[in-house]
């Protein structure tokens, strides 16, 4: 296993996280003590001292306490610093466990804790070496837990590129200024052709074995059912390996396969190694605030559906492989689109935009829809609150960039 002393150098310096810790005196004491204890004991593996045992116990208690705080209220209401402290405490807990022993069962336990730190906590820009620590730990866990020799996934072939019907403007790699003046300021959607040709992801990710090797052991949230507005829809945490095998393996029975979708997930915060395969398009630099661009992953088989809905932010949907049918409608038509009454679905229409029931929803006859096909290497820009329906026409991987 990687030298623990080298890994310890990737833990945060107290000064880097002091501002976060001062918001919680208990966490401040526990984490500052753990950082000192780990620094000493990684170099001198004498685990007999009471201070080592106390610190290990306190870190475990802090992880448990943060977990309870996060799960006692709606996720959106949890203070950010609580999730940040949870991530830091999980990193430290992993170190204490690795110092105890490095058997396979312990590695599996540490791998699960790392996923929880990334999924439940908040690790984005936490401190300078945070991403490097996560990368190193993932590499170690993947090497020790690499059980993929028996699974061979296909290389996805993109459908032949076609000059498909498109009801909105199409541009070939416009300048940022042209994009800004014509479409962002004009609040008009536009299809940007062949915009991602420099992304390594376009060549690497269609080979699903590449993704499997980098991230097969990671736990990810998977939507079960083709459409989140249907009653039978559900979500489940599972290993990415299991999702890829069920949805893409040639040995899986297609006829009995339930549609599953890795949708709207911050996969690249969880698996930083994948970030190296793409860059944030320059068009996202037009954001008016200092907030980060939200980057979401969408991976699934043919037949996944995002029902007609809108998002409150600017949205650049980029297609890595596969193709999607997309139907748009202007915010001006919102009163004719029969939104759901529930809080969870208030930004979602009740209609099936691809097969409208005009008897049940007569006002839809007043709506102007725009149809297009999103193909590999292209990006679709959608201004805030533009309605969009998305259906995958083949196995598909998309990345969305949202900004304000």
């Amino acid at each position: 296993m990687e030298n623990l002393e080298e890994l310890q150098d990737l833990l945060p310096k107290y000064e880097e996280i002091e501002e976060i810790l001062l918001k919680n005196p208990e966490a401040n004491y526990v984490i500052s003590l753990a950082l000192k204890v780990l620094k000493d004991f990684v170099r001198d593996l004498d685990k007999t001292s009471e201070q080592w045992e106390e610190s290990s116990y306190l870190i475990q208690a802090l992880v448990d306490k943060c977990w309870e705080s996060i799960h006692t209220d709606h996720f959106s209401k949890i203070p950010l610093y609580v999730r940040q402290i949870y991530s830091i405490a999980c990193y430290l807990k992993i170190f204490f466990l690795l110092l105890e022993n490095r058997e396979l069962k312990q590695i599996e336990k540490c791998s699960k804790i790392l996923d929880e730190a990334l999924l439940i906590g908040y690790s984005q820009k936490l401190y300078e070496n945070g991403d490097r620590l996560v990368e190193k730990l993932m590499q170690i866990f993947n090497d020790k837990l690499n059980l993929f020799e028996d699974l061979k996934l296909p290389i996805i072939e993109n459908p032949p590129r076609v000059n498909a019907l498109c009801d909105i403007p199409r541009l070939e790699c416009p300048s940022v200024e042209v994009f800004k003046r014509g479409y962002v300021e004009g609040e008009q959607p536009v299809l940007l052709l062949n915009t991602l040709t420099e992304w390594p992801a376009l060549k690497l990710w269609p080979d699903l074995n590449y993704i499997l090797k980098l991230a097969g052991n990671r736990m990810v949230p998977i939507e079960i059912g083709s459409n989140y507005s249907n009653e039978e829809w559900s979500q489940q945490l599972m290993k990415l390996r299991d999702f890829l095998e069920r949805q893409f393996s040639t040995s899986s029975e297609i006829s009995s396969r339930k549609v599953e979708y890795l949708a709207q997930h911050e996969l690249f915060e969880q698996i930083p190694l994948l970030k190296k395969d793409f860059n944030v398009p320059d068009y996202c630099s037009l954001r008016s605030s200092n907030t980060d661009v939200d980057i979401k992953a969408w991976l699934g088989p043919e037949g996944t559906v995002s029902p007609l809905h809108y998002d409150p932010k600017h949205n650049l949907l980029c297609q890595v492989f596969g193709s999607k049918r997309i139907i748009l409608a202007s915010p001006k038509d919102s009163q004719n689109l029969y939104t759901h009454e529930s809080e969870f679905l208030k930004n979602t229409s009740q209609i099936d935009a691809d097969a409208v029931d005009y008897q049940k929803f007569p006002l839809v006859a007043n709506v102007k829809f725009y149809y297009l096909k999103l193909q590999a290497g292209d990006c679709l820009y959608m201004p805030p609150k533009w309605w969009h329906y998305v259906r995958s026409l083949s196995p598909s991987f998309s990345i969305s960039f949202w900004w304000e």
Side-chain angles (χ1 to χ4, degrees), residues 16 23 41 78-80 111 121 144 151 162 164 173 210 224 231 239 244 274 313 324 345 375:
E16 293 180 292
K23 296 175 181 177
F41 283 90
I78 305 301
L80 184 61
S111 180
K144 295 292 182 180
L151 177 58
V162 296
C173 298
Y210 173 80
I224 301 173
E231 289 185 4
K239 284 194 174 183
L244 292 173
L274 288 174
K313 299 181 179 181
K324 290 183 169 178
L345 295 172
Q375 302 180 76

Side-chain angles (χ1 to χ4, degrees), residues 75 119 124 220-223 228 233 235 243 260-270 294-300 304-307 309-313 315 317 324 344-345 347-348 388 397-402:
F75 198 65
L119 289 170
Q124 298 176 32
V220 291
I222 298 297
E223 297 183 359
Y228 70 74
W233 177 89
Q235 281 186 305
F243 165 70
E260 298 174 343
Y261 197 12
L262 191 157
Q264 198 174 319
H265 177 46
E266 293 181 349
L267 183 69
F268 312 111
E269 293 301 326
Q270 187 182 3
D294 293 332
I295 306 175
K296 310 287 186 180
W298 311 77
L299 171 62
T304 60
V305 172
S306 293
H309 69 286
Y310 68 83
D311 300 306
K313 299 181 179 181
N315 186 352
L317 181 63
K324 290 183 169 178
F344 175 65
L345 295 172
N347 69 331
T348 303
H388 47 287
F397 200 140
S398 311
I399 305 176
S400 60
F401 299 88
W402 293 343

Side-chain angles (χ1 to χ4, degrees), residues 223 225-228 259 261 303-308 389-392:
E223 297 183 359
S226 64
N227 183 332
Y228 70 74
V259 173
Y261 197 12
T304 60
V305 172
S306 293
L308 190 67
Y389 163 96
V390 183
R391 176 166 59 86
S392 60

Side-chain angles (χ1 to χ4, degrees), residues 211-338:
I211 298 173
L212 177 69
K213 184 177 179 181
L214 282 184
N217 284 308
R218 308 271 56 85
M219 298 292 290
V220 291
I222 298 297
E223 297 183 359
I224 301 173
S226 64
N227 183 332
Y228 70 74
S229 65
N230 291 342
E231 289 185 4
E232 67 271 15
W233 177 89
S234 63
Q235 281 186 305
Q236 183 180 330
L237 275 177
M238 66 178 72
K239 284 194 174 183
L240 186 59
R241 170 208 162 105
D242 297 333
F243 165 70
L244 292 173
E245 181 176 18
R246 283 209 293 264
Q247 295 302 306
F248 300 102
S249 172
T250 53
S251 63
S252 299
E253 273 294 335
I254 295 176
S255 59
S256 61
R257 186 187 294 169
K258 279 187 176 181
V259 173
E260 298 174 343
Y261 197 12
L262 191 157
Q264 198 174 319
H265 177 46
E266 293 181 349
L267 183 69
F268 312 111
E269 293 301 326
Q270 187 182 3
I271 307 165
L273 285 168
L274 288 174
K275 285 184 186 178
K276 298 175 181 177
D277 296 337
F278 67 91
N279 51 32
V280 177
D282 291 341
Y283 306 117
C284 302
S285 66
L286 297 173
R287 59 191 185 277
S288 58
S289 65
N290 292 323
T291 57
D292 292 331
V293 177
D294 293 332
I295 306 175
K296 310 287 186 180
W298 311 77
L299 171 62
E302 177 183 350
T304 60
V305 172
S306 293
L308 190 67
H309 69 286
Y310 68 83
D311 300 306
K313 299 181 179 181
H314 297 270
N315 186 352
L316 193 65
L317 181 63
C318 301
Q319 194 67 16
V320 178
F321 65 73
S323 61
K324 290 183 169 178
R325 172 173 170 79
I326 297 180
I327 303 173
L328 304 174
S330 168
K332 296 175 183 177
D333 283 318
S334 296
Q335 70 273 17
N336 298 317
L337 287 173
Y338 297 89

Side-chain angles (χ1 to χ4, degrees), residues 158-164 191-194 373-378:
N158 280 313
R161 191 171 183 87
V162 296
N163 187 18
L191 183 61
L192 308 175
L193 304 175
N194 299 309
K373 184 177 184 179
L374 186 65
Q375 302 180 76
D378 295 346

Side-chain angles (χ1 to χ4, degrees), residues 34-243:
L35 288 172
K36 179 182 181 303
V37 167
L38 284 173
K39 184 176 181 179
D40 294 341
F41 283 90
V42 166
R43 289 164 171 77
D44 176 13
L45 298 179
D46 173 16
K47 302 189 290 285
T48 59
S49 100
E50 292 182 4
Q51 194 176 46
W52 190 92
E53 293 180 2
E54 176 195 11
S55 186
S56 177
Y57 172 80
L58 289 175
I59 281 293
Q60 175 62 62
L62 181 61
V63 168
D64 293 343
K65 189 169 184 177
C66 288
W67 191 94
E68 289 175 7
S69 297
I70 291 168
H71 287 81
T72 53
D73 206 342
H74 192 280
F75 198 65
S76 63
K77 296 180 180 178
I78 305 301
L80 184 61
Y81 75 86
V82 174
R83 293 175 58 203
Q84 291 172 320
I85 288 171
Y86 179 77
S87 290
I88 297 166
C90 284
Y91 294 165
L92 296 171
K93 180 179 176 181
I94 289 170
F95 269 77
F96 279 111
L97 290 173
L98 292 177
L99 284 169
E100 284 180 7
N101 74 73
R102 303 172 207 176
E103 297 173 359
L104 198 60
K105 187 175 288 188
Q106 192 86 323
I107 298 295
E108 182 76 48
K109 184 177 182 180
C110 289
S111 180
K112 183 179 178 183
I113 293 168
L114 182 60
D115 280 327
E116 289 172 347
L118 301 172
L119 289 170
I120 300 172
Y122 190 89
S123 60
Q124 298 176 32
K125 297 183 177 179
L126 197 51
Y127 66 96
E128 183 179 356
N129 286 323
D131 280 357
R132 286 184 60 205
L133 174 66
V134 171
E135 285 181 23
K136 286 288 187 183
L137 288 173
M138 283 187 179
Q139 287 173 345
I140 292 168
F141 299 158
N142 284 346
D143 289 345
K144 295 292 182 180
L145 302 172
N146 195 351
L147 309 174
F148 307 137
E149 292 83 358
D150 61 329
L151 177 58
K152 185 67 176 175
L153 294 171
I155 299 174
I156 304 297
E157 293 188 15
N158 280 313
R161 191 171 183 87
V162 296
N163 187 18
L165 170 73
C166 182
D167 291 337
I168 63 172
R170 289 181 283 194
L171 296 177
E172 189 101 18
C173 298
S175 68
V176 173
E177 187 60 31
V178 167
F179 174 72
K180 176 185 177 183
R181 283 192 288 189
Y183 302 96
V184 175
E185 292 178 353
E187 299 182 350
Q188 292 296 317
V190 61
L191 183 61
L192 308 175
L193 304 175
N194 299 309
T195 308
L196 314 175
T197 52
E198 300 303 315
W199 281 14
L202 268 68
K203 294 181 179 178
L204 294 173
W205 294 2
D207 184 351
L208 296 176
N209 299 287
Y210 173 80
I211 298 173
L212 177 69
K213 184 177 179 181
L214 282 184
N217 284 308
R218 308 271 56 85
M219 298 292 290
V220 291
I222 298 297
E223 297 183 359
I224 301 173
S226 64
N227 183 332
Y228 70 74
S229 65
N230 291 342
E231 289 185 4
E232 67 271 15
W233 177 89
S234 63
Q235 281 186 305
Q236 183 180 330
L237 275 177
M238 66 178 72
K239 284 194 174 183
L240 186 59
R241 170 208 162 105
D242 297 333
F243 165 70

